[in-house]
mmCIF file with all atom_site columns, all heavy atoms in Angstrom:
data_model
loop_
_atom_site.group_PDB
_atom_site.id
_atom_site.type_symbol
_atom_site.label_atom_id
_atom_site.label_alt_id
_atom_site.label_comp_id
_atom_site.label_asym_id
_atom_site.label_entity_id
_atom_site.label_seq_id
_atom_site.pdbx_PDB_ins_code
_atom_site.Cartn_x
_atom_site.Cartn_y
_atom_site.Cartn_z
_atom_site.occupancy
_atom_site.B_iso_or_equiv
_atom_site.pdbx_formal_charge
_atom_site.auth_seq_id
_atom_site.auth_comp_id
_atom_site.auth_asym_id
_atom_site.auth_atom_id
_atom_site.pdbx_PDB_model_num
ATOM 1  N N   . MET A 1 1  ? 13.357 19.263 -17.110 1.00 89.00 ? 1241 MET A N   1
ATOM 2  C CA  . MET A 1 1  ? 13.935 20.585 -17.332 1.00 89.00 ? 1241 MET A CA  1
ATOM 3  C C   . MET A 1 1  ? 14.834 20.971 -16.152 1.00 89.00 ? 1241 MET A C   1
ATOM 4  O O   . MET A 1 1  ? 14.740 20.375 -15.085 1.00 89.00 ? 1241 MET A O   1
ATOM 5  C CB  . MET A 1 1  ? 12.806 21.604 -17.524 1.00 89.00 ? 1241 MET A CB  1
ATOM 6  C CG  . MET A 1 1  ? 11.845 21.720 -16.360 1.00 89.00 ? 1241 MET A CG  1
ATOM 7  S SD  . MET A 1 1  ? 10.490 22.894 -16.671 1.00 89.00 ? 1241 MET A SD  1
ATOM 8  C CE  . MET A 1 1  ? 9.338  21.890 -17.599 1.00 89.00 ? 1241 MET A CE  1
ATOM 9  N N   . GLU A 1 15 ? 6.060  21.034 -12.936 1.00 88.00 ? 1255 GLU A N   1
ATOM 10 C CA  . GLU A 1 15 ? 5.439  21.700 -11.800 1.00 88.00 ? 1255 GLU A CA  1
ATOM 11 C C   . GLU A 1 15 ? 6.447  22.141 -10.737 1.00 88.00 ? 1255 GLU A C   1
ATOM 12 O O   . GLU A 1 15 ? 6.066  22.570 -9.657  1.00 88.00 ? 1255 GLU A O   1
ATOM 13 C CB  . GLU A 1 15 ? 4.404  20.776 -11.167 1.00 88.00 ? 1255 GLU A CB  1
ATOM 14 C CG  . GLU A 1 15 ? 3.278  20.449 -12.122 1.00 88.00 ? 1255 GLU A CG  1
ATOM 15 C CD  . GLU A 1 15 ? 2.381  19.344 -11.581 1.00 88.00 ? 1255 GLU A CD  1
ATOM 16 O OE1 . GLU A 1 15 ? 2.902  18.270 -11.261 1.00 88.00 ? 1255 GLU A OE1 1
ATOM 17 O OE2 . GLU A 1 15 ? 1.190  19.578 -11.464 1.00 88.00 ? 1255 GLU A OE2 1
ATOM 18 N N   . HIS A 1 52 ? 10.661 12.434 4.569   1.00 95.00 ? 1292 HIS A N   1
ATOM 19 C CA  . HIS A 1 52 ? 11.784 11.734 3.942   1.00 95.00 ? 1292 HIS A CA  1
ATOM 20 C C   . HIS A 1 52 ? 11.843 10.270 4.360   1.00 95.00 ? 1292 HIS A C   1
ATOM 21 O O   . HIS A 1 52 ? 12.126 9.395  3.554   1.00 95.00 ? 1292 HIS A O   1
ATOM 22 C CB  . HIS A 1 52 ? 13.111 12.420 4.301   1.00 95.00 ? 1292 HIS A CB  1
ATOM 23 C CG  . HIS A 1 52 ? 13.367 13.630 3.466   1.00 95.00 ? 1292 HIS A CG  1
ATOM 24 N ND1 . HIS A 1 52 ? 14.179 14.655 3.882   1.00 95.00 ? 1292 HIS A ND1 1
ATOM 25 C CD2 . HIS A 1 52 ? 12.894 14.004 2.252   1.00 95.00 ? 1292 HIS A CD2 1
ATOM 26 C CE1 . HIS A 1 52 ? 14.209 15.594 2.941   1.00 95.00 ? 1292 HIS A CE1 1
ATOM 27 N NE2 . HIS A 1 52 ? 13.435 15.217 1.947   1.00 95.00 ? 1292 HIS A NE2 1
ATOM 28 N N   . LEU A 1 61 ? 2.375  8.735  1.183   1.00 82.00 ? 1301 LEU A N   1
ATOM 29 C CA  . LEU A 1 61 ? 2.176  9.838  2.124   1.00 82.00 ? 1301 LEU A CA  1
ATOM 30 C C   . LEU A 1 61 ? 0.713  10.205 2.160   1.00 82.00 ? 1301 LEU A C   1
ATOM 31 O O   . LEU A 1 61 ? 0.072  10.336 1.129   1.00 82.00 ? 1301 LEU A O   1
ATOM 32 C CB  . LEU A 1 61 ? 2.933  11.050 1.606   1.00 82.00 ? 1301 LEU A CB  1
ATOM 33 C CG  . LEU A 1 61 ? 4.304  11.300 2.175   1.00 82.00 ? 1301 LEU A CG  1
ATOM 34 C CD1 . LEU A 1 61 ? 4.860  12.545 1.523   1.00 82.00 ? 1301 LEU A CD1 1
ATOM 35 C CD2 . LEU A 1 61 ? 4.263  11.480 3.681   1.00 82.00 ? 1301 LEU A CD2 1
ATOM 36 N N   . ARG A 1 64 ? -3.392 10.778 6.943   1.00 80.00 ? 1304 ARG A N   1
ATOM 37 C CA  . ARG A 1 64 ? -3.419 9.757  7.993   1.00 80.00 ? 1304 ARG A CA  1
ATOM 38 C C   . ARG A 1 64 ? -2.014 9.504  8.543   1.00 80.00 ? 1304 ARG A C   1
ATOM 39 O O   . ARG A 1 64 ? -1.802 9.399  9.745   1.00 80.00 ? 1304 ARG A O   1
ATOM 40 C CB  . ARG A 1 64 ? -3.960 8.452  7.427   1.00 80.00 ? 1304 ARG A CB  1
ATOM 41 C CG  . ARG A 1 64 ? -3.645 7.232  8.305   1.00 80.00 ? 1304 ARG A CG  1
ATOM 42 C CD  . ARG A 1 64 ? -3.947 5.968  7.556   1.00 80.00 ? 1304 ARG A CD  1
ATOM 43 N NE  . ARG A 1 64 ? -5.316 6.046  7.103   1.00 80.00 ? 1304 ARG A NE  1
ATOM 44 C CZ  . ARG A 1 64 ? -6.334 5.612  7.836   1.00 80.00 ? 1304 ARG A CZ  1
ATOM 45 N NH1 . ARG A 1 64 ? -6.135 5.035  8.988   1.00 80.00 ? 1304 ARG A NH1 1
ATOM 46 N NH2 . ARG A 1 64 ? -7.556 5.725  7.391   1.00 80.00 ? 1304 ARG A NH2 1
ATOM 47 N N   . VAL A 1 71 ? 4.893  13.010 15.265  1.00 87.00 ? 1311 VAL A N   1
ATOM 48 C CA  . VAL A 1 71 ? 5.745  14.181 15.129  1.00 87.00 ? 1311 VAL A CA  1
ATOM 49 C C   . VAL A 1 71 ? 4.911  15.457 15.230  1.00 87.00 ? 1311 VAL A C   1
ATOM 50 O O   . VAL A 1 71 ? 5.270  16.405 15.934  1.00 87.00 ? 1311 VAL A O   1
ATOM 51 C CB  . VAL A 1 71 ? 6.506  14.165 13.775  1.00 87.00 ? 1311 VAL A CB  1
ATOM 52 C CG1 . VAL A 1 71 ? 7.330  15.433 13.593  1.00 87.00 ? 1311 VAL A CG1 1
ATOM 53 C CG2 . VAL A 1 71 ? 7.400  12.935 13.694  1.00 87.00 ? 1311 VAL A CG2 1
ATOM 54 N N   . TYR A 1 78 ? -1.093 21.809 8.804   1.00 91.00 ? 1318 TYR A N   1
ATOM 55 C CA  . TYR A 1 78 ? -1.736 22.846 7.984   1.00 91.00 ? 1318 TYR A CA  1
ATOM 56 C C   . TYR A 1 78 ? -1.167 24.224 8.288   1.00 91.00 ? 1318 TYR A C   1
ATOM 57 O O   . TYR A 1 78 ? -1.028 25.053 7.393   1.00 91.00 ? 1318 TYR A O   1
ATOM 58 C CB  . TYR A 1 78 ? -3.258 22.859 8.212   1.00 91.00 ? 1318 TYR A CB  1
ATOM 59 C CG  . TYR A 1 78 ? -3.993 21.977 7.250   1.00 91.00 ? 1318 TYR A CG  1
ATOM 60 C CD1 . TYR A 1 78 ? -4.194 20.629 7.532   1.00 91.00 ? 1318 TYR A CD1 1
ATOM 61 C CD2 . TYR A 1 78 ? -4.480 22.478 6.045   1.00 91.00 ? 1318 TYR A CD2 1
ATOM 62 C CE1 . TYR A 1 78 ? -4.868 19.805 6.644   1.00 91.00 ? 1318 TYR A CE1 1
ATOM 63 C CE2 . TYR A 1 78 ? -5.153 21.658 5.152   1.00 91.00 ? 1318 TYR A CE2 1
ATOM 64 C CZ  . TYR A 1 78 ? -5.349 20.332 5.456   1.00 91.00 ? 1318 TYR A CZ  1
ATOM 65 O OH  . TYR A 1 78 ? -6.007 19.529 4.569   1.00 91.00 ? 1318 TYR A OH  1
ATOM 66 N N   . PRO A 1 82 ? 0.647  26.194 4.885   1.00 89.00 ? 1322 PRO A N   1
ATOM 67 C CA  . PRO A 1 82 ? -0.735 26.607 4.614   1.00 89.00 ? 1322 PRO A CA  1
ATOM 68 C C   . PRO A 1 82 ? -1.138 26.348 3.166   1.00 89.00 ? 1322 PRO A C   1
ATOM 69 O O   . PRO A 1 82 ? -0.308 26.393 2.268   1.00 89.00 ? 1322 PRO A O   1
ATOM 70 C CB  . PRO A 1 82 ? -0.739 28.108 4.906   1.00 89.00 ? 1322 PRO A CB  1
ATOM 71 C CG  . PRO A 1 82 ? 0.554  28.417 5.553   1.00 89.00 ? 1322 PRO A CG  1
ATOM 72 C CD  . PRO A 1 82 ? 1.512  27.327 5.209   1.00 89.00 ? 1322 PRO A CD  1
ATOM 73 N N   . PRO A 1 85 ? -0.926 21.312 2.372   1.00 90.00 ? 1325 PRO A N   1
ATOM 74 C CA  . PRO A 1 85 ? 0.279  20.911 3.123   1.00 90.00 ? 1325 PRO A CA  1
ATOM 75 C C   . PRO A 1 85 ? 1.078  19.762 2.497   1.00 90.00 ? 1325 PRO A C   1
ATOM 76 O O   . PRO A 1 85 ? 2.304  19.831 2.454   1.00 90.00 ? 1325 PRO A O   1
ATOM 77 C CB  . PRO A 1 85 ? -0.253 20.541 4.509   1.00 90.00 ? 1325 PRO A CB  1
ATOM 78 C CG  . PRO A 1 85 ? -1.714 20.379 4.357   1.00 90.00 ? 1325 PRO A CG  1
ATOM 79 C CD  . PRO A 1 85 ? -2.146 21.175 3.170   1.00 90.00 ? 1325 PRO A CD  1
ATOM 80 N N   . ILE A 1 95 ? 10.695 15.552 -3.143  1.00 94.00 ? 1335 ILE A N   1
ATOM 81 C CA  . ILE A 1 95 ? 10.175 14.256 -3.588  1.00 94.00 ? 1335 ILE A CA  1
ATOM 82 C C   . ILE A 1 95 ? 8.903  14.490 -4.409  1.00 94.00 ? 1335 ILE A C   1
ATOM 83 O O   . ILE A 1 95 ? 8.346  15.588 -4.387  1.00 94.00 ? 1335 ILE A O   1
ATOM 84 C CB  . ILE A 1 95 ? 9.895  13.318 -2.388  1.00 94.00 ? 1335 ILE A CB  1
ATOM 85 C CG1 . ILE A 1 95 ? 8.769  13.882 -1.504  1.00 94.00 ? 1335 ILE A CG1 1
ATOM 86 C CG2 . ILE A 1 95 ? 11.152 13.116 -1.551  1.00 94.00 ? 1335 ILE A CG2 1
ATOM 87 C CD1 . ILE A 1 95 ? 8.247  12.897 -0.494  1.00 94.00 ? 1335 ILE A CD1 1
ATOM 88 N N   . LYS A 1 99 ? 0.202  11.475 -5.943  1.00 82.00 ? 1339 LYS A N   1
ATOM 89 C CA  . LYS A 1 99 ? -0.565 11.552 -7.186  1.00 82.00 ? 1339 LYS A CA  1
ATOM 90 C C   . LYS A 1 99 ? -1.409 10.316 -7.435  1.00 82.00 ? 1339 LYS A C   1
ATOM 91 O O   . LYS A 1 99 ? -1.298 9.317  -6.755  1.00 82.00 ? 1339 LYS A O   1
ATOM 92 C CB  . LYS A 1 99 ? 0.361  11.802 -8.361  1.00 82.00 ? 1339 LYS A CB  1
ATOM 93 C CG  . LYS A 1 99 ? 1.497  10.815 -8.493  1.00 82.00 ? 1339 LYS A CG  1
ATOM 94 C CD  . LYS A 1 99 ? 2.400  11.227 -9.652  1.00 82.00 ? 1339 LYS A CD  1
ATOM 95 C CE  . LYS A 1 99 ? 3.559  10.284 -9.825  1.00 82.00 ? 1339 LYS A CE  1
ATOM 96 N NZ  . LYS A 1 99 ? 4.603  10.377 -8.812  1.00 82.00 ? 1339 LYS A NZ  1
#
Side-chain angles (χ1 to χ4, degrees):
Chain A
M1241 59 182 83
E1255 297 170 305
H1292 280 156
L1301 263 180
R1304 163 192 306 271
V1311 176
Y1318 269 88
I1335 65 168
K1339 54 184 180 287

